[in-house]
Amino acid sequence: MIVLKFGGSSINSSQAIRNVADIIYSKRNRHPIVVLSACGDTTDNLLASIKAARDGEFETALASVDSIYTYHQSMAAELEIGSPWKEKFEEETGRFTAELRELLRGVSLLRDISRKSIDRIVSFGERFSTLLMMCHVNTQGIDAHLVESREFMKTTDEHTRAKPLLEESEPLIQSTFNLPEDDGNYSIPIAQGFIGSTLEGDISTLGRGGSDYTASIIGAALEAETIEIWSDVDGILTADPTIIDHARVIKEMTFREASELAYFGARVLHPDTILPAVELDIPIQIYNTRNPESDGSLIRRDFPDHQEQKVVKSIAYKEGIQVLNLTSTRMFQAHDFLRKVFEVLDRHQVVADLVSTSEVSVSIAFAKDVDPQPLIHEISKFSTVSMENRKAIVCLVGENMRAYKGLPGRIFKELENFHINMISQGASEVNLSFVIDEADIEPVVRTLHDAFFAEEEKYSQRTMVSG
């Protein structure tokens, strides 16, 4: 059994949906389970309709809903969905649209909306897409059925960013996807990514990357042969292709490398996607729906020791970073000072992307959407505080970085003309990260990519540790 997840860009047109149906059909003998995101920009359009309704622009909100309905109806017409699936699609999408209009009417009257209601409205994106795909593949003679993810994916009640409850979800997944033991008749399940439900039964969503996470949780619960993530790129690349137009596909990488890249900004994979697959060593394969013949990128726990690996696998970055610099104003011991700092971060639920410490000073890098004022207010009681904005974190990732002497020196020699601070190399030595000015992202990434990918072989021969 395999799990196939298709992102929104993979199903954003009738032709794209045909391509996905062909991929599903080609893998029918491997008992695929299909997980879908919302089509194209549907989620963004639903969020826009919520904003319009909350701002009192009810007609604008309704126009946005009508455009979503028309978009899916147009694709269904172009796909020439036949009976009885055509009638089912029209009936269900009509019901979806009527419910959305009523929900938005309530938002417009109240001029407010709860996170629970946001989840309910946004969930319709995946409900539209899975219904459309199910009706299309059945028209094409592929036996498939719809599975409601809220029936098996149980989550916390943190609406818009719910966390899956794996212990509660696993038995539900196993009972929902009752797979045959032979290659006989098999109806392909098509499930929504991103959507779950709380223990009380309210619709919830998993936040950014939720569809990938859904696919990985299903795969782990069923001990799948592999999990395939299909998007609009050939795999995980050596750098952001919007900066490096000749960035290469990374054919193979470890879970550790992929986790670091995902956390520090690589757009192909969400960090949480990897976690359920790691323990069972279920390979994750990244493929391109627009180029299905490509080998893609394979992610697994380890690779053979004799297999040649690159020094640096990829360069990622995370923009929109702010840095809080703290210096103790009292004679704290190091453990007292750090304890106080991290207690403040915990109280305000701030996730630090990077931390640099000494006995009486700390620098903390975190996302720009974090309001620093409550932190500054508390920490200034025992520290001198300063802020730096418009920063970015650059991260070099590679499992074999630990085997090379002088690698940090090489990196910072290449970047001698740039302002760099908060240098960090983790205990695992899989990544080396540092903070730069946001304006320097492009030249820094280009400089490092040229250094480690244009001259890689020469550098490997010169610096590899013997034995």
Side-chain angles (χ1 to χ4, degrees), residues 264 317-324 351 353-354 364-369 387-394 422 435-436 438 441:
F264 282 102
Y317 65 89
K318 183 181 284 191
E319 56 194 332
I321 296 296
Q322 50 188 338
V323 176
L324 193 65
V351 177
D353 289 320
L354 212 62
I364 305 165
F366 47 83
K368 65 180 179 181
D369 59 358
M387 284 292 302
E388 296 178 84
N389 295 303
R390 294 186 291 278
K391 297 293 183 179
I393 296 173
V394 174
M422 289 190 69
V435 173
I436 62 170
E438 199 171 53
I441 289 173

Side-chain angles (χ1 to χ4, degrees), residues 359-389:
E359 186 171 1
V360 292
S361 66
V362 179
S363 292
I364 305 165
F366 47 83
K368 65 180 179 181
D369 59 358
V370 173
D371 181 3
Q373 293 309 314
L375 302 179
I376 293 172
H377 176 72
E378 282 203 52
I379 294 175
S380 61
K381 295 176 182 177
F382 58 87
S383 292
T384 300
V385 182
S386 64
M387 284 292 302
E388 296 178 84
N389 295 303

Side-chain angles (χ1 to χ4, degrees), residues 186-206:
Y186 175 65
S187 179
I188 297 172
I190 298 178
Q192 302 103 6
F194 182 60
I195 300 175
S197 66
T198 66
L199 295 177
E200 292 74 30
D202 297 316
I203 293 176
S204 57
T205 63
L206 305 184

Side-chain angles (χ1 to χ4, degrees), residues 44-66 99-114 117-118 121-122:
D44 289 340
N45 292 333
L46 287 166
L47 290 170
S49 73
I50 292 171
K51 183 179 184 303
R54 188 174 52 200
D55 292 344
E57 300 171 3
F58 184 50
E59 293 303 320
T60 301
L62 292 186
S64 181
V65 170
D66 289 344
E99 187 173 345
L100 277 170
R101 292 170 73 95
E102 284 305 306
L103 288 167
L104 291 168
R105 185 183 302 278
V107 174
S108 182
L109 290 172
L110 294 172
R111 296 291 182 92
D112 196 11
I113 186 169
S114 67
S117 294
I118 291 174
I121 291 171
V122 171

Side-chain angles (χ1 to χ4, degrees), residues 19-39:
N19 294 342
V20 167
D22 289 342
I23 292 167
I24 294 170
Y25 182 75
S26 71
K27 297 174 182 287
R28 65 195 183 282
N29 292 331
R30 298 175 68 188
H31 298 145
I33 293 173
V34 177
V35 177
L36 298 183
S37 298
C39 296

Side-chain angles (χ1 to χ4, degrees), residues 250-254 257 296-299 303 307 309 313:
I250 304 168
K251 292 184 178 180
E252 298 172 338
M253 66 190 327
T254 66
E257 292 169 331
S297 297
L298 174 63
I299 306 169
F303 292 94
Q307 189 167 313
Q309 297 291 326
K313 284 283 184 71

Side-chain angles (χ1 to χ4, degrees), residues 397-424:
V397 171
E399 193 77 45
N400 275 10
M401 285 169 57
R402 72 188 77 186
Y404 290 80
K405 290 181 178 178
L407 183 62
R410 163 72 187 259
I411 291 169
F412 297 116
K413 175 64 176 175
E414 296 287 347
L415 301 178
E416 60 185 356
N417 295 322
F418 299 96
H419 177 67
I420 294 172
N421 55 23
M422 289 190 69
I423 300 167
S424 173

